[in-house]
Amino acid sequence: MNNNNTTMGENERIRLVVLGGAGVGKSCIVRRFLNNTYSDKYRSTVEDLYSREYDLGHMTLKVDILDTAGDMQFPAMRRLSIATAHAFLLVYATTSSPSFAAIKQCFEEIREQRPDFKEIPIVVAGNKQDLASTHREVQIEDVSEWIFCDLPKLRAKVLECSAKSDFNVRDIFRTFLTLSKIMPKPGDDTTGGLKRRSSAYVSATSKGKNRAPSPAEGRPNHLAASSTSEGLGGEAKAKPRSRSLIRRSSRKTKQQMRDAQSNSEDCNVQ
């Protein structure tokens, strides 16, 4: 994987690998995001790969989501998934202290195998937030202290979610785009979420545009990229920007610079 930041082309494929202990709800999060479905029935995962395509207006993003096993029975598959990932989702359960220890072990495996681990977008998600009020065993402050104080500076974000109640699930995947600089920060996202690419939408938006050819097959660069798109799934605007919009964009840029400066502190608990 190339460690240099590059601008993503019009068509790009990325791989998100989901890691965590057994029974924390990794598959439930993925299915809630992709299909908006949820089931209480537990089925042990060996390895499931989901592929989707999204139109972000300025580019087509092809996403492979690899849902891995929660136990350690398949070490070779686990090493391969870590080696080929462009981003990681580390899932623990807010109701299980051992599950927090499990993602710490997952991170150590990433650090051992990936010299570029500091540049890889990582989201740490505490699932089962709907049960946290009565069964909480892991405080989000402890997770944040581990990520932002105990470890080297990472391109990471911590949040809690619930696959069952559909709380913060889409925010997990939006966060990957902001961490990778494909999209602006969440406060600048004005379109409300990811939008699946349909053939009708593609034919309408590609009219009169000279689209670049698909990139050569093979593993692409990591997620780091820059973009000026204003939202996920939003169609590119052809109209000139108004002065008021330019002023607002200028204020957003200054705010992002201030945020970047504040994030450079040694211990940034989010």
Side-chain angles (χ1 to χ4, degrees):
M1 184 176 293
N2 192 339
N3 290 333
N4 297 324
N5 289 352
T6 57
T7 301
M8 299 184 78
E10 240 182 75
N11 296 277
E12 200 71 28
R13 180 178 293 277
I14 63 174
R15 172 168 289 203
L16 167 62
V17 173
V18 186
L19 298 171
V24 297
K26 300 185 299 297
S27 300
C28 291
I29 290 174
V30 173
R31 293 191 192 109
R32 172 64 79 177
F33 173 68
L34 294 178
N35 305 318
N36 197 26
T37 59
Y38 175 81
S39 174
D40 285 319
K41 294 181 179 179
Y42 176 72
R43 180 182 65 86
S44 179
T45 300
V46 175
E47 190 173 88
D48 292 330
L49 179 64
Y50 304 87
S51 296
R52 296 291 188 275
E53 200 169 285
Y54 298 95
D55 198 307
L56 303 183
H58 64 293
M59 65 177 292
T60 297
L61 185 64
K62 300 175 182 178
V63 182
D64 293 333
I65 301 177
L66 184 63
D67 184 13
T68 64
D71 51 40
M72 304 300 292
Q73 296 183 24
F74 310 99
M77 294 173 65
R78 192 180 187 88
R79 288 194 296 269
L80 181 61
S81 67
I82 291 174
T84 58
H86 304 108
F88 292 100
L89 172 59
L90 305 184
V91 181
Y92 69 96
T94 60
T95 57
S96 169
S97 295
S99 71
F100 182 34
I103 65 166
K104 288 183 177 181
Q105 180 180 349
C106 291
F107 177 78
E108 290 306 316
E109 294 180 40
I110 294 170
R111 176 151 58 176
E112 289 173 6
Q113 293 189 51
R114 298 293 296 271
D116 58 342
F117 72 93
K118 293 182 182 180
E119 300 301 319
I120 303 174
I122 299 174
V123 172
V124 179
N127 193 30
K128 305 187 181 182
Q129 185 271 347
D130 55 294
L131 301 175
S133 60
T134 55
H135 297 83
R136 180 182 290 276
E137 293 186 7
V138 182
Q139 300 294 331
I140 192 171
E141 293 82 7
D142 294 336
V143 183
S144 296
E145 183 177 359
W146 169 60
I147 287 289
F148 300 112
C149 298
D150 297 347
L151 299 178
K153 188 173 182 180
L154 304 173
R155 185 178 294 181
K157 181 73 174 179
V158 176
L159 53 80
E160 292 186 343
C161 66
S162 171
K164 184 174 184 177
S165 62
D166 196 15
F167 172 70
N168 263 358
V169 172
R170 294 181 71 83
D171 286 344
I172 291 173
F173 296 89
R174 276 195 289 260
T175 297
F176 281 114
L177 300 188
T178 57
L179 286 175
S180 62
K181 301 177 184 178
I182 296 175
M183 299 299 298
K185 292 187 176 182
D188 298 336
D189 181 8
T190 59
T191 62
L194 290 167
K195 183 173 183 178
R196 285 285 300 279
R197 185 173 185 244
S198 68
S199 57
Y201 180 83
V202 174
S203 62
T205 56
S206 60
K207 254 186 182 179
K209 292 167 65 177
N210 295 322
R211 299 182 63 87
S214 299
E217 290 186 2
R219 193 157 62 88
N221 295 332
H222 62 75
L223 282 171
S226 60
S227 171
T228 57
S229 177
E230 294 187 13
L232 295 171
E235 185 176 353
K237 306 289 186 181
K239 297 180 180 179
R241 303 172 73 187
S242 67
R243 292 182 180 179
S244 61
L245 179 57
I246 294 174
R247 285 196 294 270
R248 289 198 300 272
S249 298
S250 176
R251 287 197 295 270
K252 290 176 183 176
T253 301
K254 292 178 181 178
Q255 182 61 46
Q256 290 173 358
M257 292 175 64
R258 287 195 293 270
D259 291 343
Q261 291 173 354
S262 65
N263 287 336
S264 65
E265 296 177 1
D266 292 336
C267 179
N268 181 16
V269 178
Q270 300 184 6

